[in-house]
Each structure stands twice: as structure tokens, then as C-alpha cells.
Amino acid sequence: MNYGIVDLGSNSIRLSIYEVQDGQPRLLINKKEMAGLAGYVSGGILEETGIERACAALESFHEILGHFGIKEMHAFATASLRNIENRSEAVAEIARRTGVKLVVLSGSQEAHLDFVGAAHTLSLDEGMLVDIGGGSTELVHFRQRQIVHLVSLPIGSLSLHKEYVEGLLPTPNERKEIKKAIRREFDALDWKDAGRCDLLCGVGGTVRAALKISRELFGVTKGETAFPAGNVSQIVHRLRSRDEAEQAAVYRIVPERTPSLLPGMMILKEAVWRFGCQTVEVSSSGVREGYLLERVLGAQG
């Protein structure tokens, strides 16, 4: 059977269509709309324009599902809706306009499903998982393929840009404020037994961007899905450079992420430093696969 899973995030809205045989999903199509919903939140309220963008994406996805003979859309929202004050009203309005009943995941649920999805395709024996989204960052400490700690931090690549940056790129003073905000959240973690985690498993657009940049600038081969964690510091250094040509060399690789790239990389750098990570392994599976495996196929079983 085929299944359509929609992830309504703070930065992008994604539709993933899977073919499932013998309980094993195979990705058929991945469609992304850069809706930037975090940019339409004012005073904790998702504005009408943000609701319209969400509805437009969902309606276009309905047409794609129809081509695959899929009648039901399984859709969930993460920080894009859980962090707003008018969550109930927004969910109800989206349902009224599109017929889609969104499930709003808590931060802990998102972190758990990230691990379920990543563990389905990678051998996650011991280490740290990070999912840097537009509106939140999920961290999962795991050992012997079991979750030891998990948390959702209220900082994301797009929300940090929105809160601290006035222009397109952050100024030196704005970067300092972003760094302070990131440090505050990591300092609040009480994970004394986490120790050193050589492996950092990365989920989401920021980590995928780091891999793409590593391939272009640091000689990581095209087939590799892992790169040295030290690359993250080098990427941040180049993005902070006073040499505009050096900055542009990075931004041209992932131009669609220009506003959120540096804040996201600063979160990733903090995670690498905080847990002593040596290698970043990029997972092709995450919360959408976890949702399919546990919430959809698990419920059917």
C-alpha cells in the first residue's frame, strides 16, 4: 500500500509518499514547500497569511496524493503550531478549509519519533541525535539502541533569525545574542551521565546542508553520509567571515536556507562541542518515517 505523510514545520511543509511492503517503507516521492510559517507568527499568534500558506500547501498535496490513488493524508505539525497561542483555532481553521485533521506533536513526541525513524535505517548503538528545525531543536541521547534522555529545545534556525536578526544576515552583535540564547538552552540540560558522544546522528535541513557544504568545500565524497564534526566549526567560521566572497561561497551552495543557515549551524556547533562529537552521520529518515512506522502502521497492526 501507499501512504502520504505530511510534516507541517516552521520552515518547510513536506509531503512524503511511501510504498510499504511487509512493514518496510520505501520513499517514492518527497515534495517540499518553503512556507516559512515561523515568519508569520506575531505576538505568539499565527497570522491569517500563515494559515493561508499552510492551507495552500496542503491543498496542492491533495492533488499529488490523488495521482497515487491515496485517499487519506496523515498530517502532523511540530513547533510550527505547538508554540503558538492560537493553536486550537489554527488547527480548526485548517481542517475547515482543507479537510485535513492535523495532529500537533509535543516536543518529546517529536524527539521520540525522530529516533524511531533514524533507528530504522541506521545502526544507532550509542551517541546523540539532533534534529534542528525551524522552530525547535530535538536532542536524543541513546545507548544500546535505547533512548536515555530526550528533550525539545525552543530554539530553531528560523525562530532565532526572526527573534534576533533585523536584516537578512546577522550582524556581529546579533550573532552574540543568538549564541547566548543557544547557550542558555544547552546549559539548562541536566544530562551529566551523557558524557562524550563520538557519534552525532543528524536529522533535518540544517544537518543536510552541512553535509552538502562538506561535499562542496571539504572533499567529502558524494556517496558519503557522514563527515568530520570539525567541519561544522569551519562552516560557521566562513559564515562569520568579514570576507564577503568567503561567505558567498557557502551561501551559494544552499541559497534557499540563507536566512536560517547561520543560526542553524550555530546550534549544530554547540551540540558538537557540548557532547564532544567527532563524526556527524546524516540520517535520511526522521520524524516522518517515525510517524509512519509508529503512528500509522503501528496503529493498523
Side-chain angles (χ1 to χ4, degrees):
M1 292 183 62
N2 295 340
Y3 296 86
I5 307 293
V6 173
D7 175 0
L8 194 85
S10 298
N11 194 22
S12 63
I13 303 176
R14 289 178 177 267
L15 165 67
S16 297
I17 296 178
Y18 303 89
E19 178 186 50
V20 177
Q21 293 183 351
D22 299 325
Q24 299 299 313
R26 181 173 70 92
L27 183 64
L28 298 178
I29 188 171
N30 191 16
K31 174 71 174 177
K32 177 176 68 173
E33 296 283 350
M34 297 299 291
L37 296 186
Y40 298 98
V41 176
S42 178
I45 302 297
L46 179 62
E47 299 170 343
E48 170 64 21
T49 305
I51 293 175
E52 289 176 355
R53 288 186 71 97
C55 290
L58 293 174
E59 287 169 352
S60 70
F61 290 164
H62 264 307
E63 295 182 13
I64 298 173
L65 291 177
H67 296 315
F68 285 83
I70 301 172
K71 295 181 179 180
E72 184 176 6
M73 178 188 294
H74 300 279
F76 64 85
T78 52
S80 58
L81 296 189
R82 72 167 172 258
N83 291 342
I84 62 173
E85 295 179 11
N86 62 331
R87 177 175 62 188
S88 297
E89 294 83 356
V91 169
E93 185 61 17
I94 290 171
R96 186 187 69 81
R97 297 187 191 183
T98 67
V100 177
K101 296 181 179 179
L102 285 166
V103 174
V104 181
L105 298 178
S106 69
S108 295
Q109 289 170 334
E110 182 179 1
H112 171 78
L113 293 174
D114 271 325
F115 182 77
V116 170
H120 189 70
T121 55
L122 294 180
S123 177
L124 301 183
D125 296 322
E126 184 172 352
M128 192 72 58
L129 180 146
V130 63
D131 178 3
I132 302 169
S136 67
T137 295
E138 283 64 51
L139 290 169
V140 181
H141 175 220
F142 56 92
R143 189 179 292 131
Q144 296 178 344
R145 297 185 64 83
Q146 298 296 317
I147 294 174
V148 180
H149 303 289
L150 59 75
V151 70
S152 179
L153 305 178
I155 50 172
S157 59
L158 198 59
S159 60
L160 284 173
H161 184 278
K162 186 177 188 305
E163 184 170 355
Y164 294 104
V165 182
E166 290 189 6
L168 179 62
L169 301 179
T171 65
N173 286 336
E174 289 169 341
R175 292 198 300 265
K176 289 179 182 178
E177 293 304 310
I178 291 172
K179 185 175 181 178
K180 287 179 183 177
I182 294 170
R183 282 280 169 93
R184 280 196 300 269
E185 296 300 331
F186 276 82
D187 285 344
L189 292 176
D190 186 21
W191 291 5
K192 294 183 176 64
D193 61 337
R196 183 185 182 90
C197 298
D198 287 342
L199 174 67
L200 182 70
C201 174
V203 175
T206 291
V207 183
R208 288 194 300 271
L211 175 59
K212 190 172 183 180
I213 294 166
S214 292
R215 287 171 175 167
E216 291 275 346
L217 299 181
F218 305 125
V220 174
T221 58
K222 189 173 183 180
E224 288 290 328
T225 59
F227 59 89
N231 288 9
V232 179
S233 293
Q234 294 189 56
I235 293 170
V236 171
H237 175 75
R238 293 192 182 206
L239 292 174
R240 296 178 58 180
S241 174
R242 294 181 180 180
D243 185 340
E244 292 184 2
E246 193 170 22
Q247 285 187 16
V250 181
Y251 282 116
R252 69 171 175 78
I253 298 170
V254 282
E256 73 282 1
R257 304 196 70 85
T258 296
S260 62
L261 185 60
L262 181 54
M265 290 296 170
M266 290 173 70
I267 298 173
L268 183 57
K269 180 184 176 183
E270 183 71 19
V272 165
W273 173 79
R274 184 76 55 157
F275 301 110
C277 303
Q278 299 300 305
T279 301
V280 179
E281 174 83 18
V282 181
S283 173
S284 60
S285 299
V287 65
R288 289 183 297 281
E289 289 76 15
Y291 192 91
L292 171 64
L293 291 165
E294 192 166 282
R295 296 292 188 95
V296 179
L297 299 180
Q300 293 177 355

